[in-house]
Every structure is written in structure tokens, then in C-alpha cells.
Amino acid sequence: MKLIKPIILLTVLLPWVFLGCEPSVEELSTDNALQLSYSTDTVTFDTLFSSVGSITKRFKIYNTHDKAIKLNQLSLGSREVSSYSITVNGVKGKSFQDETIFGEDSLLVLVEVLIDPNNQDLPFLVKDSVVVTYNDRSENIKLVSWGQDAIFINNEAIPCDAIWTKDRPYVIYDSAWVESGCQLTVEAGTKIYIDNDAFFTIAGTLHLQGTAEEKILIANTRLDPKYEVAPGQWGSLFFFPGSTGNMIDHSIIKNGTNGVLLAVDLNSGNGAELLINNTSIQHMSESGIAAFAGNVTAQNLEIFNCQNQLIAGLGGGSYSLNHCTFSNTPNEFTREGASVGFTNYLEFSNGSQFANDLSIEITNSIIWGREEEELAIDLSANTATDVQIENNIIKSEQDAWVELGNFISQEENYPGFYSPNLFNYQIDSLSNARDKASTTSITHDLLGTLRDAMPDIGAYERKDSIP
């Protein structure tokens, strides 16, 4: 019994002994030789529109030692006047004191930036740093972003006969529209960014006057790299019935729902009118062009990566397509049906039908995708039709296209695209499109390259060097 009592006493006292000791990871060290490490030395934001908040970026501060380190100061170099803000442990601010990082632990720091307008046409650099002070050491993480002043349009009509220039980008929130009887002219090199679910509506006339050297860009407002290919970020260029004289030249339209949507008046049968040349429509969550009884003329038009149709002419209309490249391979969507399709009718859920005359002329073009049949024409309604489809490369098994003077195949890359997995639809040196086009008045290709005496099928003329 005498031996048992001391053991019992020691067992009772043991927890109190350990409670009186501080774990080494919580024990503060003031040793100047202990150095923190960081997940990055620079936090970089892509170009941001002034007065519009950024996405949140983050970095971590690591304490790899077995003792805790207290941060005397964790602050922005410019403090209260900084365009940046940081968030630590759920609190947003410009400066923090006495933050402790336990041994073998880390601290997460969130960074955001809101850039004030600078009244400059060109992008301007906005720099700062996060300064970390501890144990008589001072270290910093660089913060870098580019600001861009812009012209913001929020649910408003564009003044009649307005001219948009390339000096500053235009940012559309909610919607913008060109009223009937008015015209908007957009000069070469202009950039137009459209916010989530916003529409650019044209009841009057739109002229996009880009050049081969200075293309017009219409895209989403998110500029960071992961939104470079991001279908469905905005609505569409929406042309009202009766909108005429519209022209799009040397433009890039990307990351919307429908790149171009032409509406029809079901009572009168009037649609909208569009001439579109030397333009690329990319990454749409619905269609590249959806035209309802529209009048569309296109040359050197490229459309790729759309969930539904690359181009759809529905309910009749008139469509003339020459030297175009339509490709839905690769495609980021699960889809069924042809990438290029036309009908001379519209059928509604109540069983009613709208029908109109249909005219289709497709020449010297590539129609390609993953489906066995990538061109479909449905002429179920009793209307006047005129269909001329010749000298095209078509993904199909139907000999009827060959009888009309076209080339068909099921071979994966029969057109000979240079790098389709990178969405580069220029043609390579062994392309089946080379020297196969019929001669037309179209002297240059989508990039402005001169077509030779034996031109190539599609929007691109083969070049010996492809960037």
C-alpha cells in the first residue's frame, strides 16, 4: 500500500503539471534568425476597369519553425490611401497589428483592389505592397495591377448618330440600345465589354468598322485568364425586326449566349438585316448567329465552339455565306444535331406555325463538327425555296452533297485545320481545302491575307508561316 499512494498522487498531479507548460508551437520567439516564407512574392491582377472592384486574390504567410512568431505590423505600404485592401481572419482593412502565427502554421491574406478613375485613355499601373514586420525584420509582397478608365453605359439609349472610338473601352451594364431611326458607328480598334446577362439591342442601325490591323472586340467584362474562354457571360447583339443596314466588319465577338440574334415580327414576317465580313464569333453558350427570317450576308466569317448551332436560319429568310469556316470541334458542350441548320418554318408549343420563303447560298465554306451530319435543312412548310450549296467541305455521309459539287468526309480533321484543339482554324500545308475554292470577288481572307489565283476553301488562305 505504501507504494501505491505515491503513484496515485503523481497521476492526479500530472495533468496540472502539463497545463502549466505552454506548447512550443505557441511559445513566442523573438529570434531574428527565424524567417517567414510566402506562397508568392507578387500578387498580380489583370487589367481592371476603374471604379469596378476586382476578384479576390490570396497569398499565405508560412511559419515553418517550431515556435510562434508575432507580426508587429501587417499593412499596406500606402495605408489608407491605397487602392488595395487586405482581409485577415475575416476582417478587412489596410493595417493589422500583433497577428500571431503559431509554429508550423500559416496565415491566409486576401487581397482586393478598387481603382479610382485616372482620366487616362491608356491603361495605367497601380502598385503597392503588403509590408510584414516581425522580430526587427521587414519584408514585403508586391501588389501589381493595371487600371483602365472606361465609358460606362447602364440601361440607357445610345445618342443618335453616335461614334464610338478606340480611346477608351465601353462597358455595358444591364443593357444598351440603338433606337429606331438612329445609327451607332464603332471605329476600328474599339473594345466593348458587356456584363453578365446584359444585352446590346439594335432597333436602328449598327456599323462595326474594324480593320485587319485593328479589330473591334465585343466580350465579357471579366478579363482574368480563366475567363478568356467562358461562354454565356453576356446576352447577345440583339437586332430588332426591321433593323436594316447593319454591318459588322473585322470584329471578334466572344463569350456570350448568342453572338448575334436577329428577331422577326410574326405578324408582318419582317426580320432584321446584317452584312458580316471578316469576323470571328467564338465560345457561345447557345448559338453563334441565330436568325429568325433574317437577311444575312457573310464573307470570311468564322464561328466556333457553340453549344447549339454555329449558325441557324430559322423560319425562312435569306442567307448568303461565302468563304466561311464553321467548326464545332473541339466543343466544350454536350450537344445533338447539326451545327449549321436552316428551316422555312417555326413551330410553337400550341401547334401553330409561322412559315416564310427561304433562300440559301453557301459557297467555298467549311462546315465541320463532331456529329456525323453537321448541315441540316428542313423544308417542311410549303413556301418558296432556293437552295444553292456548292464547293464546300461538309461533315456528312450524304452523297447528295457530293452530287451538288461538295466534298464530304467523316475523317476527324479532313479540312486540315492547323491546331483545332487551340481553336486555330487556319489550314495546314496538307489541307484538303487548299486550292479547291471557286474564284470569286473576295480577294483577301479573314486575316487580310491576299488570296492567290487558286484560292482555298474557308475563311483562311493558307500561309507558309502560321503564328
Side-chain angles (χ1 to χ4, degrees):
M1 293 295 295
K2 290 182 180 180
L3 292 175
I4 295 175
K5 288 183 179 179
I7 295 174
I8 294 175
L9 179 63
L10 181 60
T11 304
V12 172
L13 291 176
L14 197 58
W16 295 97
V17 172
F18 279 102
L19 283 175
C21 295
E22 184 177 25
S24 62
V25 294
E26 297 182 15
E27 180 183 345
L28 284 175
S29 172
T30 59
D31 185 354
N32 179 261
L34 300 185
Q35 189 171 0
L36 298 171
S37 59
Y38 304 88
S39 58
T40 183
D41 62 1
T42 305
V43 176
T44 304
F45 292 84
D46 292 285
T47 303
L48 301 165
F49 299 119
S50 56
S51 76
V52 178
S54 72
I55 60 171
T56 300
K57 295 212 169 183
R58 60 191 64 202
F59 68 91
K60 282 188 174 183
I61 305 173
Y62 295 102
N63 178 7
T64 59
H65 309 289
D66 58 3
K67 292 186 179 180
I69 295 176
K70 178 181 286 188
L71 308 183
N72 307 104
Q73 190 82 33
L74 176 63
S75 65
L76 293 164
S78 300
R79 300 292 181 94
E80 297 304 318
V81 299
S82 178
S83 297
Y84 296 88
S85 63
I86 54 177
T87 299
V88 177
N89 291 325
V91 179
K92 180 182 287 190
K94 305 286 187 180
S95 179
F96 298 86
Q97 290 79 37
D98 300 331
E99 294 288 338
T100 298
I101 307 178
F102 293 139
E104 300 178 354
D105 202 352
S106 63
L107 179 67
L108 176 66
V109 181
L110 306 181
V111 185
E112 296 173 285
V113 59
L114 179 63
I115 299 173
D116 290 330
N118 208 23
N119 196 28
Q120 292 186 26
D121 292 336
L122 296 176
F124 50 91
L125 186 62
V126 180
K127 298 194 297 183
D128 205 340
S129 63
V130 177
V131 180
V132 183
T133 304
Y134 63 97
N135 295 351
D136 295 325
R137 302 181 68 98
S138 182
E139 298 163 351
N140 67 81
I141 306 298
K142 297 180 180 66
L143 306 178
V144 180
S145 60
W146 287 90
Q148 171 69 71
D149 287 340
I151 298 169
F152 295 93
I153 299 165
N154 189 356
N155 195 28
E156 58 188 273
I158 309 302
C160 266
D161 302 321
I163 298 176
W164 287 4
T165 68
K166 66 179 182 180
D167 295 338
R168 296 184 185 181
Y170 295 79
V171 181
I172 297 174
Y173 289 106
D174 193 2
S175 63
W177 61 91
V178 180
E179 295 183 320
S180 180
C182 297
Q183 177 174 307
L184 170 63
T185 300
V186 180
E187 295 184 346
T190 301
K191 294 179 172 59
I192 302 170
Y193 298 99
I194 307 178
D195 201 39
N196 290 355
D197 301 322
F199 283 78
F200 194 178
T201 303
I202 300 94
T205 300
L206 175 67
H207 281 185
L208 301 183
Q209 299 177 344
T211 66
E213 297 74 25
E214 292 189 293
K215 294 185 180 295
I216 291 168
L217 174 66
I218 299 178
N220 46 309
T221 54
R222 293 291 297 270
L223 305 183
D224 34 315
K226 71 177 182 178
Y227 284 88
E228 179 68 23
V229 177
Q233 295 297 301
W234 52 278
S236 68
L237 296 181
F238 189 100
F239 293 88
F240 268 35
S243 173
T244 60
N246 298 294
M247 184 270 290
I248 298 175
D249 196 9
H250 286 293
S251 298
I252 297 172
I253 304 170
K254 67 178 191 176
N255 292 340
T257 302
N258 292 286
V260 174
L261 183 62
L262 284 74
V264 62
D265 184 330
L266 295 176
N267 294 317
S268 67
N270 290 332
E273 179 182 281
L274 175 64
L275 171 64
I276 180 167
N277 296 335
N278 310 303
T279 290
S280 181
I281 300 177
Q282 316 168 2
H283 314 305
M284 296 291 159
S285 62
E286 293 294 339
S287 301
I289 296 178
F292 296 88
N295 185 329
V296 178
T297 300
Q299 299 176 358
N300 291 332
L301 172 63
E302 172 189 62
I303 307 179
F304 61 83
N305 193 31
C306 300
Q307 181 169 7
N308 293 330
Q309 283 83 24
L310 298 168
I311 180 168
L314 308 174
S318 177
Y319 306 91
S320 176
L321 314 174
N322 200 344
H323 275 298
C324 297
T325 295
F326 305 119
S327 178
N328 241 347
T329 180
N331 184 278
E332 298 183 338
F333 307 99
T334 300
R335 66 177 184 89
E336 295 181 357
S339 291
V340 176
F342 302 90
T343 73
N344 63 348
Y345 68 96
L346 297 172
E347 196 166 72
F348 303 100
S349 57
N350 62 5
S352 63
Q353 191 179 83
F354 167 87
N356 211 338
D357 295 344
L358 176 63
S359 173
I360 308 169
E361 180 184 355
I362 306 177
T363 311
N364 296 331
S365 296
I366 299 173
I367 300 172
W368 210 252
R370 295 182 308 196
E371 301 298 313
E372 291 183 354
E373 300 295 331
E374 289 290 7
L375 173 61
I377 300 174
D378 185 345
L379 305 177
S380 296
N382 185 21
T383 68
T385 58
D386 180 17
V387 178
Q388 299 179 47
I389 298 176
E390 59 183 351
N391 216 61
N392 305 286
I393 293 176
I394 304 172
K395 180 73 176 294
S396 177
E397 294 182 328
Q398 296 186 28
D399 291 334
W401 297 128
V402 178
E403 294 170 5
L404 293 174
N406 300 284
F407 306 91
I408 65 170
S409 179
Q410 292 293 313
E411 185 181 325
E412 183 177 359
N413 189 18
Y414 179 82
F417 296 131
Y418 181 74
S419 186
N421 288 331
L422 297 177
F423 303 114
N424 184 337
Y425 297 100
Q426 297 182 62
I427 57 175
D428 64 27
S429 58
L430 301 178
S431 168
N432 287 298
R434 291 200 70 178
D435 302 334
K436 299 287 180 58
S438 57
T439 303
T440 69
S441 60
I442 303 173
T443 58
H444 293 74
D445 75 352
L446 173 58
L447 298 176
T449 302
L450 183 68
R451 293 188 183 273
D452 60 28
M454 298 179 65
D456 303 332
I457 291 176
Y460 294 101
E461 186 77 0
R462 165 67 189 175
K463 295 193 300 184
D464 291 334
S465 61
I466 298 177

